[in-house]
Amino acid sequence: MNIKQLQTLLAKKESETVEFKASTAQLRGACETLCAFLNNKGGTVLIGVNDQGEIKGQDITDNTRQEVAKEFAKIEPHADLVIEYVSFKNNKQIISVTVPTGKHIPYVYDGRAFYRNQSTTMRMPQHHYEQLLVQRGQLNHTWEELPAKGYTIKSLDEEEIYRTVAEGIQEKRIPAIALKESINQILKRFKLLQGNKLNFAAVVLFAKQEALNLPQCMIKMARFVGLNKLGNYIDNQRFEGNAFQILETADAFLSRHLPIASFFKTDQFKRIDKPALPVMAVREALINAICHRDYSNRSTSISLAIYDDRVEIWNNGLLPPSLKIADLKRQHDSVPRNKLISSVFYARGLIESWGTGINKIMDLCKEDALPAPFFEEYTGGLAIVFKFKTVLGGEKIAIKNSALTTRQKAILELMKRHDTMDVQQLMA
């Protein structure tokens, strides 16, 4: 790296991938940031540059180089750091250290893991670190595989279990012989029972509502008036239950509050009422949230928010390191966070196993000439946002008169004035 390349980097200022440190007196902070870069998108730390991006440089001795090497060695597992000493005026130097996205995430520095939040380096929460360890294969079990202490077969909804079998057989994803199996045998078929102990996946999927004591098995739902959470709301609910109860409750909430678009076709007399968003697309997003959320975090729940211009679904748990937001809108492999939970949803025909859910959502929105949904990562989770064609002024989307014939406009005007008119009265 030469001075010109250095100045180009300085012009970008501190960001998600660039950090400045005034001198090796801040070497510890530099190493924490390098650790965070390895756990994220990679980046460069410049030592000898102040917070304002002014090059100060410092005298670099053999002792300095040894100190730097010793501190960098505290980053584990071993990472490939590109270290350059760039000469500046008056024999002073700047230390440039660049790292790519790590191949063995999560990395730790001096025994602690760090992550990058925009231009800030922060300690990584314990549950996030554990999830990354699971993905790297250093833990023997994921959260869903752990024994669910305090739960027994009697804690589960047998009717829901048999419904799963029946739907799985109908989808040709479970052999018909499963109908003759006992509850224990069915649970073992789905790897939800190990010996005589239920795992947490069994509880998330099939627990009776009165037996459930997992705060993370909850969904928050609200229909807000306006474009943000600061205004009033028409409906605000919380529901705690197993995965299939959550899906059913969310479906009902959407049916009540998803705006209806009304329109006529030129070759039809009858008005057509259609939800402002394809219901199956939103349902697919809800299923993704249930299957892919991080259940090890007890302090969060799935959220479903309907605004005047959009629907947002958020679930706790970031994308795995191998998958970026840009990858979601193109063909990609399925990387389920909860393989046992996802496999039961697959058996019921609710999801596919090949990472096609997002493509299905995109196709359904495209068929309805709607904007493509987009994704955001924030507060440790992933959100999908569906936009309406028109910002709502109330609970209905306005009918565009420009698309109607003169006769249809007249009929529509009568319907607005007389809600109870039937077809015979309209034709009179």
Side-chain angles (χ1 to χ4, degrees), residues 3 57-58 76 97 169 173 194 224 232 249-250 272 296 299:
I3 290 295
Q58 72 174 82
E76 299 177 306
V97 189
I169 293 171
R173 295 179 177 181
Q194 298 166 355
F224 294 97
N232 295 325
T249 301
I272 298 173
S296 68
S299 63

Side-chain angles (χ1 to χ4, degrees), residues 236-339:
N236 187 17
Q237 296 185 23
R238 293 187 177 201
F239 177 82
E240 185 175 351
N242 67 45
F244 299 109
Q245 291 171 333
I246 284 176
L247 182 58
E248 183 180 351
T249 301
D251 276 344
F253 189 86
L254 284 167
S255 296
R256 289 197 303 274
H257 295 295
L258 201 60
I260 301 297
S262 300
F263 59 93
F264 289 96
K265 288 188 176 180
T266 55
D267 59 344
Q268 294 184 15
F269 180 80
K270 189 177 180 180
R271 183 182 69 183
I272 298 173
D273 291 334
K274 187 176 182 180
L277 294 174
V279 174
M280 293 307 296
V282 183
R283 193 170 194 263
E284 186 79 25
L286 282 166
I287 291 171
N288 281 347
I290 292 169
C291 289
H292 293 292
R293 67 162 307 192
D294 178 5
Y295 285 96
S296 68
N297 188 342
R298 293 172 58 88
S299 63
T300 62
S301 60
I302 296 170
S303 66
L304 166 62
I306 303 176
Y307 302 91
D308 283 355
D309 67 334
R310 68 194 186 281
V311 170
E312 290 186 14
I313 298 170
W314 179 91
N315 66 279
N316 179 65
L318 300 172
L319 291 172
S322 62
L323 201 60
K324 306 301 179 186
I325 284 181
D327 298 328
L328 297 178
K329 294 188 178 182
R330 49 180 175 252
Q331 195 68 36
H332 61 275
D333 291 333
S334 177
V335 189
R337 176 177 273 109
N338 305 293
K339 292 183 179 180

Side-chain angles (χ1 to χ4, degrees), residues 96-150:
S96 168
V97 189
T98 300
V99 296
T101 299
K103 296 179 180 179
H104 304 289
I105 294 171
Y107 288 80
V108 298
Y109 163 67
D110 202 15
R112 292 186 179 275
F114 296 86
Y115 74 102
R116 193 73 169 169
N117 184 2
Q118 297 182 5
S119 61
T120 303
T121 295
M122 305 175 70
R123 284 186 180 179
M124 186 178 291
Q126 182 67 23
H127 76 273
H128 187 192
Y129 176 69
E130 290 172 354
Q131 284 296 313
L132 291 174
L133 277 178
V134 167
Q135 292 167 18
R136 198 171 78 186
Q138 288 198 346
L139 294 183
N140 293 327
H141 299 287
T142 61
W143 179 88
E144 64 171 355
E145 295 175 299
L146 296 175
K149 296 179 181 179

